[in-house]
Amino acid sequence: MRERIESDELRPRDLIPSGIARDTDRQAVALLRAEGRVITLPQRGGFVAGEPPADAPETDRTRG
C-alpha cells in the first residue's frame, strides 16, 4: 500500500482497498496511520491522507 501511495496510484482521499488477509490489512493500515499517510473513519474505512507530516522519519518521506 505504501508503494501505491508514494507512486500516486492511490491519491489523497482515495479509499484504501482491501484484498489481503484481514490481520495483515489491519497491521498495514495501523502502520500507515502512524506514519500519517492514512486516516481512518469509523464505519467508512481508511483513506489516503495528504502529505506525510513534517515530523515523519526522513527514511519514510519520498516526496518533498
Side-chain angles (χ1 to χ4, degrees):
M1 275 192 265
R2 181 184 296 121
E3 289 175 3
R4 293 177 69 189
I5 293 170
E6 290 174 351
S7 71
D8 287 333
E9 182 181 338
L10 291 173
R11 302 189 47 84
R13 296 179 154 175
D14 283 352
L15 181 64
I16 298 295
S18 59
I20 53 179
R22 182 173 284 195
D23 288 338
T24 303
D25 187 39
R26 284 187 189 146
Q27 290 174 353
V29 170
L31 177 62
L32 293 169
R33 188 176 50 238
E35 293 176 356
R37 297 177 190 275
V38 169
I39 58 170
T40 54
L41 301 174
Q43 300 180 347
R44 299 203 58 211
F47 296 84
V48 178
E51 291 293 319
D55 61 349
E58 278 293 322
T59 56
D60 289 340
R61 279 192 283 149
T62 60
R63 300 181 196 166

